[in-house]
Each structure stands twice: as structure tokens, then as C-alpha cells.
Amino acid sequence: MDARAGGPRAIAAGPESDEEEPIVGRDAELARLFRAVDPASAEPALILLGDMGTGKSALLDRAVRRAGASGARVLRAEGSETESSLAFSALHQLLRPVPDEVDGLPERQRAALRGAFGAGPAPVEADLMLIGVAVLGLLSALGDRGPLVVVLDDAQWCDRASLDALSFAARRLVDEPVTMLVAARVGDHLPGFGRHAATLSLGPLDDAAAGRLLDLRPQPPTGRTRRRILAQADGNPLALTELAKTATAHATPGGPPSAGPLPVADHLERIFADRLNGLPAPTTRALLLLAATDAADAAVAVPAALPDAEDDAWPPAERAGLLRRTGRGPRFSHPLARSAVYHAASADARRAAHFALAEALRDEPDRRAWHLAAAATSPDAAVSAELARTADRARRRGGHEAAARALQRAAELAPREDGARLLVEAAAQAVLTGDLAWVEEIVSAVRARTDDASLLADAAAQAGRLAVLTVRHTVVFPRLADAAEELAPTQPATALDLLAGAAVVRFYCGEDAQRQRVDAVLRSIPEDASRSWARTWIRAVTDPFATRAELLPLLPRMAAEARHSPDRLTAFAIMAWLLDETPRAVRAFDRAFDHWGMRGPLPEGLGGAAAWSYVEQGKWGRAREACARSSALGTTAGLDHAVACAAAVDATVLAYQGDPAAARARAEEALALIDPLESRSVAVYARRALGAAALAEGAHEVAYDQLRSVFGADGAPVHYHASCPALADLAAAAVRSGRREEAAAIVERAARTLDAGASPRLRALISRARGLLADPEDAEPHFRAALADPVLEHWPFERAQTLLDLAEWLRRRRRIAEARAPLTEALETFRRLGAHPWIERARAESRAAGLDVTDTAPDAVAELSPQQQQIIRLAARGLTNREIGEKLYLSPRTVGSHLYRSFPKLGVTARSQLRDLVEDTLAVADHRG
């Protein structure tokens, strides 16, 4: 719906003219769009940015015609300013032409999508990732039948829920015959598209192109009039054509009206408004009704309110250049024409239009509620209640932005205290969009509306909840801690909520002064048995090793309390992971994810805990699934820290699996997204991943430098929880790079600092490090100590590394017979995990120890990428391509492509052969990803 400018379509008033005439001054941009929709060079997404009137829609139209001529199918939707508050409205418009394809989706995906559209039962809690997977699968399936072009015009007015689903799909359509073209105004934020899509910007036309555009007018302006048009239009194609029309119509010696200081868009709106003068009253009324409708095609939904497309009311507006009639009925020639018509009307006339539309939309309660709200001029409890019901429907469909906007407007129409309560509810929904500025705006409105301490505390807690994920940690920490301290005497429960957020920030940032501050505020909050859960969480997150002995006895009771609550169960799992109780953490995460799915539109606090738990217990495929989920959520909500954390964990798995190049790329991605002084935890994880990648390649000096960086110059851990698990790898790199003495000092300092707070796992890692760094005659007791506790089997990769170290030491001491048992066990574990660099090292050592090591299936599996291995494991379990895609957030086509490329490498021809192969090589029965 942008300007049909830059070509004759912009010049012609009334019916559209020859569509193949040239678009002026946009040759390079048009060529770029043609490449984007060319099946031979198609790309997943291209964002077209330009100011109003620069010709975005004209360029999209031309690209769509080119795509159609080459056999592509086109799905198109246009954003509507007044429909931006209706969740999934743009997506519904886009997919309306393909109902059969929606019905052909798997049951869960179909139900999620139909629920989002309000065409089926609304779920208790919408799964936005499942909706994204459904859109991905549907677009991919359409692409399988032939090239597909998805066009989103005026995307700045599309609802947030639709943008989230479409950006989710766009990021996963690489190498598929699907292209997404998205047009939006410069300066408007498009959630999720950001840095993941190529951008094409439309600037002003240069003087030569602007002159050519004027020359295409039936009566090209000349002389002073031409100079003034060129000066006022400032290269904007729509402004050039509309100012030229005005000059011709008025034929005044001085040319168009004086420009003054107004921007181009304001001038244009004034031009369109001037064209209303002299129109018949029926035409003016019809235009106002059309301007007040919720979408370009709303005439279909409200036939009783608008004149028929052939009615005599429309031709005068068409002749005035305000309207054009298409196959979909009357439409404004430009959004500015619509805006001009709406704002030129009196307030009473606008209210009457909205009342008429509300009456016609009795069967569409959401649209009806917004029209009633637009007609309201004073508090109206009934309309407020209608909007609150709209918000609830949007929330249950996963349209959190739409829900928040409805609640915000409901608050404006409600009595004072009811309005404050509605604003707090709006803040809770706005939190789930990741837009902190908006949340803080709503919270400010709560403060202006009420003195109720409970409501004010709830509002503060909502802002704090999102600030933890979005704001610089050193900025948000004192804000949360100060608010918790202030509320401690009067609102202890809210104070604990805020302090829990501060504790999470303390984990991310890792500053010791923050621990002291949390401890001080916690002591100021009155103790109450009903709030023991929150206090335990704060202590575990803030200082897990110092409090471990006190907290361990509490875990069984807390696990029982959390059993039926997904949020509590996830929080319990995080605490268990922090305390190095990984088996408990994995069981809780499994239960939470298997029973309730990975819920919510935002990553949970300490979102990497699930992935790390799976990494530690050898469930690397499951870890990568958790990383994919967290990364998708973080990217959609613009939460770089969550994306960085997922990338760091993913990098670690890739290094363990033997893909050091991919591991380095992911780790560097993580480091690029964060400030290492603000996010010490993620920085340490990324450096550990880089160290693991270097160890996998045998680059021991590089590995040592990376791992040394997770400890300070004085040897103290950079992060109180994330650094210490690197001690054993640091020692391994030190031995092979001549840095034994420095590493030994770091290990011993860590041992003294941890002392009694060290978990069995950390004690084992320290013992392994001591064994590696010790003189050869003194090493054995340390290795034996690192293997002594049976509980260490729950960290299979770390245990297998120690077994290999012990076996190497034994062989070098010529105790070859004793070396064979740990070697055999280590090799079996590495094979089961798919830890290819360590498999090769264990094989070499086994041959040196006289063991017969056969090279069979593991070598074939080793040729696969880590992602292909993950897909093979899931296919071996009997999952379909669609089911695998749901788990890994890939399209079924991408899954099928990976399987197609993997089968020849594995020597199989059918999926039925995968189960035996995988059981023999990766032991998925024991370690399912």
C-alpha cells in the first residue's frame, strides 16, 4: 500500500495504467529484487526499507509479477495500522489463500495455528515456537511444489505475533525455494528480522531521476513551478507526482503551495485532505467508513456498513486520486490518503463511523471491541470489559503484544483503581514482548494512577523481570537490589521476587560485590516459611558452592513441591544444576519439557542451565535442542544475552563432537553479542568452548591461552561458577604446552577457595588436574581419586577423559595390562557420545596397548556433521521428518535433505536400517539426544 510512485502508476489517478511501463530511478533496486525472487539465486528474506512515498509497494509489485511469470506462487499480506493490535491478523491474511495446506499440517501444528487464528479452541498456554514451526513447515511444503514468494507490505503495521512467526520461519528457509520480501518504513523496528536478513534501502531519487518522473506527467510542469516541486519533494517519488497533480489542477502562476517547514509526509497528507473539498456528502461518509475499517479487505467483513463497490459514492473519490478500485473492492491510493480522510473528519463523525462498524461487527468481538473503544470519549466500564476479554483471547493465542495493548486501552476507559490493576496486567503481557521501554512506560502509568502499595510492587516486579534479560547487568543490578531493599519491610514477597532477579544478574555478571549486596538485602527481608522457596533460590544462584551443604538437604522436599508446576520444576532444575546435582537437574528438566513443553515466549532466567545439564550428562542432542529453543526465543525477543548463552553451549558440544570450525564460529558469535565485563558467565563459557575446540585439534598452546583467560591474573576464577569446570582441561593443555607450574598454582588456589563447598564432580576435576600436573611417580593416586566416586558416572565425558588419562599414564609406566580396561571403557563412552577427536585419541592409545580396535560404523558416522548425527539419532527413534523438524526447529525439507546426504555415507538405503546402526555406534538407547 505504499506509493505507486517512481513510475506511471504513481501518476495515474483512477484505474491502474500499463503495468510494464518503467519505474523511474530504481534500476539497481529493481535488479536486486529480481535476483531475490529468481529461483536460481533466491534468498530466504530481503527487507525493503524506505520512507513513505519512496515506492516500496511499486517495486514489490514488479518483483511479484516477475516471480509469477517464472512460475512462482505468491502469498501476500499488508499491514494495517488499526489492525496491528489484533494478534496473528497479518499471518491470517497471508495464509487465507491456502486453507488446505493448513489443514494438511500435523495435528499439533494445525491446532496451534488454528488456535492462533481464533478458528479453533484457544489453548491454555500458546506454544509460540510450535506456531513458528507450523508456519515454517507450511511454507516449506508449498516450496516443495514450486518456488514461493511471501510478500509482507507495510510490515511496520503488522502485529507482533505475526512478525515473530514469520521471522522465525525466514531464518530457517535457507536453501529452500522460498523467498520472503518485507517492506517497511525506515526507522521502524521489525522484531526478529534485524541482523538475520539482507536489507535494501530506498533513498530519495537523484535530481535527474526526479526530473524524468515529472516529464512522464501528461502535462509536465515547467519553469518556477517545476523548481518548487523539485525542492519541496526532496526526491520523494510520491511527493513529486502528487505535487505535480496539484499544480496542474490549480494551474496557479506560483505553482504548488509554499512548503514551509513541514516534512514531506505532512505536506502530502495536506494535499490529500484538500482533495476532499467539494466531494459529495455520500462520498465523504463512505471514505470515512473505509478509513475507519480495520484492514484493507475489511469491506468483505462489513458489507452492511460500506457501500457496494459499484456504488455511485466511489467514483468522485477515485477521480480525486484518493481511491482506486481493485478486485478486492475500493482501496485508498496511499496510506496518507486514508490518514487524511480520517483526521479531516470531525470527532463526532469519526465516533459515528466507529459505532456503525461496531454494530456491523457483532460476530467479530475483537474488532468490535476496538471500534467501541475508538468511539469512546470518556471512561466506559462496559467497553473496558470488552477490551479486557479481547486481551484474554489474544493472550491465550500467544498474542502478548495485542493483549498488552488491549489492556492498556481498557485501563484508559476504566475507573481509576480498576485501571491501575489493568495496567499491571498489561505490563505482565508487555514483558513477554521483550520491549522494556514499553513496560517501563506502563509501569510509570501505574504509578501515576494509584498509591496502592501492592499494585506498585507488582508493577515494579514486572519491569524487573524483563530488565534482567535486557538491560546492561551493571545498570539493572542496583535498580533491582535498591527496589527490593525499599519494599522489604512492607512487601516482602515482591522484594524477594526483585531480589531473585538481582541474583540472576549476579550470576550473569559474576561480581563479588553483588553477592555481598544480595546477602545484605536478603537479611533485611523478614523470614517467613511460606517464602522459603524464593530465599533458597536466591542463595543457590548467588553462591552455590558456599551454601551447598545447607541446601542439599532441602532438595527432596523442593522437588516434591515443584512436581506439578512447570515454572517451579524448571527453577528447581536450575538450582540442582547450580549445585552440581546434574542427575536431579536432568530429571527435572526432562519432566518439565516432556509434560509441559518448552513454555513461554521468553527464555527462563539462567536459560543455559538446561542445555548445560544435558551436556554434562552426555545428552548432547538434547542439549542442542535446548540451545535451538533458547536461541529462537532470544532472537525473536531481541535478547542478545540469551542468544549468546545458547551459542556458547552449542559451541561446546560442537567442539566435543569434532567440528572445531563450527565451534569457533558459534563461540565468536557469543562473544560478539555481549560485553565480557558485563556478562562474565557467557564470556567464560565461550572461552571454554574455544579451548575445547583447540584441544580437539591438538592446538595445546591455543587451548591453554583460551582456558587461562577464564581465570584472572592472580589465578582467581573470572566467574564463581562457570570457571572451575575448566580446571582439568586447563591442566591438560598446560602439560602439553609447557605451562605446568602456572596451571598448578591456579588449580591449588581453586581447591583452597572451594574447600568443603566443592561438589564430588569438582573434586574429581581437581583430582584429574592434579594427576596431569603431578610428577609421573605421584600421579596415580590423583587419577584414582578422580574415578573413585560412583556418582561421577553421571558426567560420562569427564569420566572418560580421566579414564583415558589414567590409561595413558599406566601404559607409559609399562603397566599395559592394567591400562586396557580403562582404555576400553573410555573408548566405548566416547563412541557412545560421538566425541570424535577423543575417539581417535583413544583408538591410538588402544593400539599402542595392544588392543584390537576395528574401524567399522563409527568411521562412517564420523563423516556426518553434528547436526546430521542429531537428525540420524531422531530418525532412528522412528520420528518423521516433521517431528524431527519440530524438535530441532528445522523445516521438514531441510531434515529430508540432511537424511538424503547422510544415507550414502552410512551405507544405508532406508530409515529402517538406522536403528541398528545407531544402536551399534552412538548408543541412542542409553543417551538419547
Side-chain angles (χ1 to χ4, degrees):
M1 285 179 62
D2 208 286
R4 307 289 171 178
R9 298 184 61 191
I11 307 167
E16 297 174 2
S17 54
D18 185 359
E19 295 187 344
E20 289 306 319
E21 292 191 43
I23 291 178
V24 175
R26 300 297 191 198
D27 293 347
E29 293 89 344
L30 202 54
R32 177 75 174 83
L33 285 167
F34 285 173
R35 288 197 303 274
V37 299
D38 183 345
S41 59
E43 52 192 301
L46 177 63
I47 312 300
L48 183 63
L49 296 177
D51 291 326
M52 180 177 286
T54 50
K56 299 186 293 295
S57 292
L59 289 168
L60 287 181
D61 286 347
R62 191 60 59 85
V64 163
R65 288 200 299 277
R66 169 65 69 93
S70 65
R73 180 171 193 168
V74 178
L75 297 178
R76 187 165 187 169
E78 296 172 351
S80 166
E81 188 171 11
T82 53
E83 202 164 57
S84 61
S85 297
L86 297 173
F88 295 106
S89 57
L91 185 64
H92 187 224
Q93 184 188 157
L94 187 79
L95 299 183
R96 187 182 296 163
V98 289
D100 292 343
E101 284 76 4
V102 173
D103 290 342
L105 289 169
E107 182 178 355
R108 290 180 66 243
Q109 295 179 24
R110 181 175 66 250
L113 202 54
R114 289 178 61 81
F117 294 157
V124 176
E125 189 78 35
D127 187 339
L128 299 184
M129 289 297 100
L130 186 59
I131 293 170
V133 170
V135 174
L136 172 64
L138 189 150
L139 297 181
S140 179
L142 288 170
D144 283 342
R145 302 178 194 173
L148 174 70
V149 177
V150 177
V151 179
L152 207 58
D153 202 355
D154 279 328
Q156 75 278 353
W157 288 333
C158 289
D159 64 281
R160 171 65 183 272
S162 294
L163 289 176
D164 286 348
L166 290 168
S167 64
F168 176 95
R171 292 192 299 275
R172 291 159 178 81
L173 288 170
V174 178
D175 298 328
E176 302 209 27
V178 181
T179 295
M180 199 173 293
L181 301 180
V182 182
R185 293 185 189 169
V186 171
D188 287 296
H189 174 59
L190 295 182
F193 284 98
R195 61 180 178 272
H196 296 279
T199 299
L200 175 62
S201 297
L202 298 182
L205 295 180
D206 61 28
D207 291 344
R212 290 199 305 274
L213 184 57
L214 289 180
D215 290 339
L216 288 171
R217 293 291 304 157
Q219 297 177 356
T222 60
R224 183 182 174 198
T225 297
R226 184 183 184 93
R227 289 194 299 274
R228 290 193 64 188
I229 290 172
L230 289 170
Q232 290 181 26
D234 195 25
N236 183 287
L238 179 65
L240 286 162
T241 55
E242 296 300 329
L243 286 169
K245 280 184 193 177
T246 301
T248 301
H250 293 289
T252 57
S258 174
L262 294 176
V264 169
D266 290 339
H267 283 305
L268 287 170
E269 186 165 336
R270 189 173 67 187
I271 289 170
F272 284 124
D274 287 344
R275 294 177 186 169
L276 289 166
N277 296 331
L279 291 180
T283 299
T284 303
R285 284 195 298 273
L287 285 171
L288 179 57
L289 281 169
L290 184 63
T293 55
D294 279 333
D297 61 349
V300 177
V302 286
L306 286 169
D308 183 83
E310 302 305 319
D311 193 278
D312 290 342
W314 300 119
E318 195 171 4
R319 288 191 293 270
L322 294 168
L323 199 75
R324 56 193 174 91
R325 284 185 286 182
T326 70
R328 289 182 285 176
R331 304 177 68 195
F332 283 105
S333 60
H334 191 274
L336 278 176
R338 176 182 183 174
S339 178
V341 167
Y342 187 81
H343 292 292
S346 68
D348 287 341
R350 290 199 297 267
R351 284 196 297 274
H354 284 295
F355 272 128
L357 291 167
E359 187 66 25
L361 289 166
R362 286 189 171 277
D363 293 334
E364 297 192 40
D366 294 335
R367 287 185 169 85
R368 170 182 163 79
W370 278 106
H371 281 296
L372 290 173
T377 58
S378 60
D380 188 319
V383 176
S384 177
E386 289 265 13
L387 282 170
R389 286 190 285 273
T390 287
D392 184 59
R393 287 189 290 270
R395 178 194 61 77
R396 285 186 284 122
R397 296 200 303 271
H400 301 291
E401 182 185 44
R405 292 196 184 284
L407 288 165
Q408 214 174 351
R409 179 63 175 135
E412 294 170 359
L413 297 173
R416 184 178 178 85
E417 283 303 313
D418 286 348
R421 175 185 54 78
L422 289 167
L423 283 171
V424 173
E425 294 178 18
Q429 290 301 304
V431 161
L432 301 176
T433 69
D435 189 340
L436 181 61
W438 185 23
V439 174
E440 291 182 332
E441 172 194 319
I442 297 172
V443 170
S444 294
V446 175
R447 295 193 190 103
R449 195 159 185 140
T450 185
D451 296 324
D452 185 295
S454 178
L455 288 174
L456 290 171
D458 286 347
Q462 294 298 345
R465 177 186 176 195
L466 184 55
V468 168
L469 297 173
T470 55
V471 179
R472 288 180 56 194
H473 302 321
T474 52
V475 172
V476 72
F477 179 84
R479 185 190 304 175
L480 294 172
D482 290 350
E485 187 172 46
E486 182 181 346
L487 291 170
T490 58
Q491 299 287 326
T494 302
L496 282 170
D497 284 345
L498 291 167
L499 195 60
V504 172
V505 176
R506 141 73 174 162
F507 181 90
Y508 290 151
C509 206
E511 287 191 1
D512 199 53
Q514 293 173 339
R515 175 190 60 78
Q516 296 168 5
R517 177 82 167 117
V518 170
D519 288 345
V521 176
L522 187 60
R523 286 193 297 271
S524 74
I525 299 174
E527 293 208 31
D528 185 316
S530 65
R531 295 190 287 271
S532 62
W533 180 282
R535 300 183 78 93
T536 303
W537 164 268
I538 292 166
R539 293 175 67 200
V541 173
T542 305
D543 200 354
F545 298 135
T547 58
R548 189 173 188 275
E550 299 173 50
L551 299 183
L552 282 182
L554 305 179
L555 292 183
R557 174 179 58 80
M558 298 183 77
E561 291 176 3
R563 186 171 300 151
H564 302 296
S565 166
D567 294 331
R568 278 281 177 97
L569 195 55
T570 300
F572 169 80
I574 293 170
M575 283 190 285
W577 171 72
L578 288 166
L579 296 169
D580 261 348
E581 291 292 305
T582 302
R584 283 175 166 164
V586 167
R587 286 195 296 272
F589 279 126
D590 280 347
R591 181 177 176 84
F593 296 159
D594 290 345
H595 282 65
W596 292 287
M598 296 186 178
R599 305 166 66 250
L602 294 180
E604 75 276 4
L606 300 184
W612 275 121
S613 297
Y614 291 129
V615 170
E616 291 168 10
Q617 202 167 64
K619 297 189 173 187
W620 294 350
R622 188 93 172 190
R624 297 201 71 199
E625 288 175 32
C627 288
R629 164 77 180 191
S630 186
S631 183
L633 289 172
T635 299
T636 298
L639 303 177
D640 285 350
H641 190 272
V643 177
C645 188
V649 185
D650 206 31
T652 303
V653 178
L654 288 165
Y656 290 168
Q657 291 177 323
D659 194 345
R664 279 193 295 272
R666 291 289 274 154
E668 294 295 348
E669 177 187 347
L671 290 170
L673 289 170
I674 55 99
D675 179 341
L677 297 180
E678 291 274 341
S679 301
R680 288 179 176 84
S681 59
V682 173
V684 167
Y685 294 146
R687 294 296 174 191
R688 281 171 49 187
L690 290 170
L695 284 173
E697 292 179 309
H700 298 109
E701 290 189 3
V702 174
Y704 183 83
D705 288 342
Q706 293 291 350
L707 296 169
R708 176 65 182 84
S709 70
V710 309
F711 298 91
D714 61 354
V718 169
H719 188 273
Y720 64 96
H721 188 272
S723 291
C724 288
L727 287 167
D729 283 346
L730 176 76
V735 169
R736 293 170 174 83
S737 60
R739 313 290 283 277
R740 188 187 301 263
E741 186 175 340
E742 183 182 36
I746 294 172
V747 170
E748 295 309 319
R749 171 168 182 154
R752 289 193 302 273
T753 301
L754 291 167
D755 195 23
S759 64
R761 177 210 180 190
L762 284 180
R763 287 198 296 271
L765 289 172
I766 290 171
S767 292
R768 179 189 169 213
R770 284 170 168 163
L772 289 165
L773 296 167
D775 292 335
E777 60 273 14
D778 299 326
E780 183 174 11
H782 298 299
F783 289 136
R784 298 292 185 189
L787 297 166
D789 194 332
V791 76
L792 299 174
E793 293 181 359
H794 293 293
W795 290 267
F797 184 59
E798 293 172 4
R799 176 179 167 81
Q801 287 177 301
T802 306
L803 287 166
L804 182 56
D805 291 334
L806 172 62
E808 288 177 338
W809 181 87
L810 289 169
R811 187 182 64 79
R812 290 190 181 102
R813 306 296 288 177
R814 301 190 182 280
R815 295 161 61 178
I816 293 175
E818 293 177 67
R820 289 171 178 165
L823 265 177
T824 300
E825 185 179 347
L827 181 56
E828 287 176 354
T829 301
F830 292 140
R831 280 179 168 173
R832 186 170 68 236
L833 297 173
H836 300 298
W838 284 266
I839 291 172
E840 293 307 316
R841 187 177 144 200
R843 278 182 183 154
E845 192 64 30
S846 297
R847 293 189 188 101
L851 289 172
D852 181 18
V853 181
T854 55
D855 295 335
T856 53
D859 282 341
V861 174
E863 295 181 22
L864 303 182
S865 71
Q867 186 170 69
Q868 287 172 337
Q869 291 179 31
Q870 198 175 4
I871 290 170
I872 288 294
R873 281 196 294 266
L874 293 170
R877 287 163 51 184
L879 274 68
T880 66
N881 289 5
R882 287 187 182 275
E883 291 168 336
I884 296 169
E886 274 191 26
K887 281 186 168 291
L888 303 183
Y889 308 107
L890 300 171
S891 73
R893 180 189 177 94
T894 299
V895 172
S897 177
H898 279 300
L899 288 171
Y900 178 79
R901 292 196 298 267
S902 299
F903 276 23
K905 297 177 184 178
L906 298 174
V908 300
T909 57
R911 295 172 84 104
S912 59
Q913 297 171 273
L914 290 177
R915 182 179 179 85
D916 291 341
L917 173 69
V918 170
E919 285 181 345
D920 290 343
T921 60
L922 301 180
V924 288
D926 296 328
H927 290 266
R928 288 181 175 173

